[in-house]
Each structure stands twice: as C-alpha cells, then as structure tokens.
Amino acid sequence: MAEFQKIYEALKWASSFLRENGRDENIGELLLCHYLGMSRSKLLAELREELDVDVKEKFVIAVGETVAGIPVQHIMGYEEFYGRRFLVNEEVLIPRPETEELVQGVLSRIDGLYTATESIKVVDVGTGSGAISVSLALENRQLDVMTVDIAKASIDVAQENAERLGAKVRFIEGDLLKPLIEEGVKVDVVVSNPPYIPEEDISTLSTVVKDHEPLRALVGGQDGLDFYRRFMEEIPLVLKERGIVAFEVGIGQGEIVAEMLRVAFPDAKVEVVNDINGKDRMVFAEIGF
Ligand code: GLN
C-alpha cells in the first residue's frame, strides 16, 4: 500500500501517480474531498491531519481506478453543473463546463427577448443527465421545460436528478423532435447539445471518454453534423413564429452550423459564441424578433 499518513502526503502521492499516467493531477483532491465529506477549503485547512485507514484505502483504490481510465465522476457518482450536483452513470454524458455556458447563453437571451410574465416553452433535445433541462427549469420559473431523449436509460437518470433537485420537467422518450411534431406541440426555445464528434475522431479520444461514456451521446455521423442537418428539417415544424435556437457545437463547426441556420431561417440573427477557452462552442439564432 502507498506509504503516507497525512492528507498533504496523500495528495502529493496521488498527483504524481496521476501525472505519470497522463491523468488530471487534481483528481486526488476531488476524491479526498469526496471520501472525507469536506469542501476544498476545509481539506486545505486540514492538510496536516492524518487520514483514517478506511478513507486511505478507498482513496488508493479510487486513484488506481482513475489511472485505469475510469472517469472520476463515475467513481463518485456525480458531477457538479451550474452549481448543482447531478448523478451520472455510464448511460449519460458527464456534463461538461462548456455546457454551462450554453445554459447561461439561453437564459440571458430569454431575459433580453421576453417579458418577465410570459410563459415560455422550452425543449431540450438529448436529455442525458438532465443537466441542461433541469438547470433551465430551476434558474427561471417562467420556463415550461420538456426534454426528449432516445434512450430510456438516460431519461431514468435525468428524472432522478429532476426529483432530487426539485425541478419540474417533462421527459419524453423519442427521436429528436419527432414526438413534438406528432403531438403538434409548438415551442419558443429549442436547445440541444447533440452528439457532434465525427466518427473517425472517436479513436483519438481519451480512453476515459471513449470507453466509459455512451457513444450514442458523442458520435454525430461521419462529419459530426448529422444531428444539425436533421434539426434544420425538424425545427421549423415545432418553433413558434418568434423563437430561439441554441446549440452546442464541436470545435470548427460553429460557422458551418450558423450557415445552416441562416439558410433554414433567412431572417434570423445568428451568432457563433466562443467558450471560455476561446473555442467556437455555441451557436444561437434569434428568429422573428
Ligand atoms: N464535449 C464532449 C467531448 O468533447 C462531446 C459532447 C457532444 O458530442 N455533444 O467529449
């Protein structure tokens, strides 16, 4: 067993073990906070304390699993998103910080374009863990949020997250916008973080992603753009005369998806927005305003 007693020694051991194996060295800190039930600031204030043997044992096992490629979120069972804790498992994409920027972009546009008393119907396509739909519902009580996913197993996870966090969201099992088209439902806002990775790029992804997250949430066909193409056919059938479309996109896809939106909605104001790392990551269209 690894030779250490104190918290700071455990962190030092973990970060060098993780670094040597090409994993994020900050994971040790996350895991210790998790097993000790402490915030990061509490952990840093207790660096000289000794670790209990059982915590030490769990920690060493978890660091080993991380080195073997298991996502730390699967070991802990959750990821933080927009200030809340979302349960995750291998059936859902682990929410990414970039997607918080998509949620933020949707909320700020709604604030700017609608009055505070209107009821606004939103559909999030590709539910996953429920990160987007649940966050939107909790951040703005005006929103009437529904979300569609093709996989029942993902909806189960998202539904549990909605219940635990007290969000009112309608969950629909189905293929993209088909259930809404069939029901004749019209919405004000369509938001989606669809699978957008080109097929041939999958082999280049880290094992942490490609072997542990659902490929159905990652791969967007040969060029990664399959789902955006389908959206251009289906969104006009569900969007009201005035509406917002918000997509997350992969690096280098921003201008292509923006152009698709300009063709589908000639009078739209379309905007490509970079994420905090300066990568094109979101495309927004404001239509009919
Ligand atoms: N951002 C994810 C990744 O890089 C991909 C998410 C998606 O395809 N929508 O792993």
Side-chain angles (χ1 to χ4, degrees):
M1 182 107 135
E3 280 315 309
F4 55 77
Q5 271 80 41
K6 294 181 193 283
I7 291 181
Y8 79 89
E9 293 169 329
L11 288 174
K12 214 170 134 200
W13 167 79
S15 61
S16 62
F17 188 29
L18 288 161
R19 191 178 336 108
E20 279 161 24
N21 288 279
R23 303 278 178 250
D24 177 358
E25 54 192 279
N26 298 311
I27 286 173
E29 210 173 84
L30 282 179
L31 286 169
L32 263 193
C33 288
H34 172 67
Y35 289 122
L36 291 168
M38 281 181 187
S39 65
R40 180 165 184 268
S41 51
K42 179 113 199 307
L43 184 83
L44 296 179
E46 310 225 333
L47 286 177
R48 305 215 147 255
E49 297 300 314
E50 287 204 1
L51 279 175
D52 283 346
V53 181
D54 60 323
V55 171
K56 180 177 164 182
E57 200 172 316
K58 283 186 199 154
F59 177 65
V60 169
I61 292 171
V63 172
E65 288 174 336
T66 308
V67 164
I70 299 178
V72 64
Q73 296 88 348
H74 287 177
I75 298 170
M76 303 191 305
Y78 58 82
E79 173 62 297
E80 307 279 342
F81 184 87
Y82 223 92
R84 300 182 183 88
R85 191 166 279 191
F86 284 80
L87 304 182
V88 295
N89 62 25
E90 51 293 322
E91 294 293 347
V92 300
L93 190 80
I94 298 166
R96 308 286 204 263
E98 298 89 284
T99 310
E100 294 177 330
E101 298 186 56
L102 178 71
V103 168
Q104 166 64 41
V106 170
L107 291 168
S108 63
R109 279 166 184 79
I110 287 174
D111 274 349
L113 294 169
Y114 294 88
T115 62
T117 51
E118 284 172 90
S119 166
I120 301 158
K121 262 197 167 36
V122 180
V123 63
D124 161 44
V125 184
T127 310
S129 66
I132 296 174
S133 53
V134 169
S135 300
L136 288 172
L138 291 173
E139 290 296 321
N140 183 342
R141 302 286 167 170
Q142 259 181 292
L143 307 185
D144 173 10
V145 182
M146 60 192 126
T147 179
V148 186
D149 202 291
I150 195 138
K152 168 79 164 51
S154 305
I155 290 181
D156 288 344
V157 174
Q159 222 154 5
E160 187 174 349
N161 281 320
E163 267 161 40
R164 292 168 71 113
L165 294 166
K168 202 171 146 268
V169 172
R170 181 179 165 210
F171 294 93
I172 307 167
E173 196 181 329
D175 188 9
L176 236 57
L177 289 164
K178 287 216 175 105
L180 278 71
I181 296 169
E182 279 157 19
E183 280 184 40
V185 175
K186 298 280 180 191
V187 300
D188 300 278
V189 180
V190 176
V191 52
S192 184
N193 172 18
Y196 54 63
I197 298 178
E199 241 152 51
E200 61 177 20
D201 290 358
I202 291 296
S203 61
T204 67
L205 298 179
S206 154
T207 170
V208 183
V209 175
K210 72 176 173 215
D211 297 332
H212 297 277
E213 295 196 81
L215 287 180
R216 67 168 183 274
L218 293 168
V219 187
Q222 213 181 351
D223 61 358
L225 299 168
D226 278 8
F227 290 94
Y228 304 106
R229 278 189 285 267
R230 283 193 52 197
F231 272 126
M232 300 309 146
E233 307 283 322
E234 297 187 15
I235 292 175
L237 304 175
V238 305
L239 200 69
K240 294 183 189 171
E241 254 167 70
R242 294 160 75 224
I244 300 172
V245 177
F247 290 133
E248 183 170 315
V249 298
I251 295 163
Q253 295 175 339
E255 268 312 319
I256 303 171
V257 173
E259 194 49 35
M260 288 181 184
L261 281 163
R262 287 185 198 108
V263 172
F265 300 100
D267 67 343
K269 180 185 156 220
V270 180
E271 217 182 332
V272 178
V273 177
N274 289 354
D275 66 19
I276 197 173
N277 299 311
K279 306 273 165 58
D280 51 335
R281 182 67 66 189
M282 290 149 276
V283 182
F284 296 97
E286 301 173 6
I287 296 147
F289 288 96

